[in-house]
């Protein structure tokens, strides 16, 4: 005698068994500390390299006289580059506490660089020129100390990586 099962029951049992197998799979091994450190340093190398053109774009916004459209485009390109690097940095799956702290610190420094790009553009291309705004614009001369901090952070991690 054959027992009839309701339609779809066999598929349901197969799906439950498949989910059970997925549930019991071991978690993937996390990358080793040296691998995490190399990944972090690689992104920081790119970020430090990207700071040179970003610094030049910010400084160009503070030059006396009218600011060119090329300067605006350069700021826009550098902003996109730094934003993508910051996203890549934040997407790194780091588990070592000191590397996680370094990652967060680097992300804050890149956020500052992005802020400097935006603010220098705002000062350079303001609609209503005022003496106070113009004086502030003329004091803009680059990314400043935060760029140096990012470079030092990268250099320290690179030395640790060997």
């Amino acid at each position: 005698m054959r027992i009839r099962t309701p339609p779809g029951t066999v598929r349901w049992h197969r799906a439950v068994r498949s989910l059970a197998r997925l549930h019991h799979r071991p978690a993937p091994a996390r990358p080793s500390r040296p691998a995490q450190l190399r990944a972090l340093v690689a992104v920081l190398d790119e970020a430090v390299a990207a700071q040179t053109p970003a610094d030049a774009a910010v400084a160009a916004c503070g030059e006396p006289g009218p600011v060119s459209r090329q300067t605006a485009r350069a700021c826009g390109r550098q902003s996109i580059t730094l934003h993508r690097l910051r996203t890549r940095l934040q997407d790194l799956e780091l588990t070592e506490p000191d590397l996680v702290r370094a990652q967060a610190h680097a992300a804050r420094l890149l956020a500052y660089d992005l802020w400097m790009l935006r603010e220098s553009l705002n000062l350079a291309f303001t609609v209503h020129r005022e003496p106070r705004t113009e004086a502030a614009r003329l004091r803009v001369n680059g990314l400043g100390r935060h760029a140096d901090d990012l470079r030092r952070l990268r250099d320290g991690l690179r030395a640790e990586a060997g």
Side-chain angles (χ1 to χ4, degrees), residues 104-144:
H105 184 59
R108 286 190 303 274
L109 292 170
L110 286 174
Y112 175 80
D113 292 348
L114 287 163
W115 178 82
M116 278 297 293
L117 281 162
R118 185 179 63 245
E119 290 303 308
S120 61
L121 270 174
N122 287 344
L123 287 171
F125 293 97
T126 185
V127 175
H128 304 290
R129 293 258 182 231
E130 296 177 10
R132 195 177 80 191
T133 304
E134 187 64 13
R137 181 183 77 81
L138 293 173
R139 286 193 304 271
V140 172
N141 63 0
L143 294 174

Side-chain angles (χ1 to χ4, degrees), residues 2 11 30-31 68 73 83 100 108 121-122 135 147 160:
R2 202 163 178 216
R11 282 184 292 203
R30 67 181 193 195
S68 69
R73 286 188 195 108
H83 178 72
V100 171
R108 286 190 303 274
L121 270 174
N122 287 344
E160 183 183 335

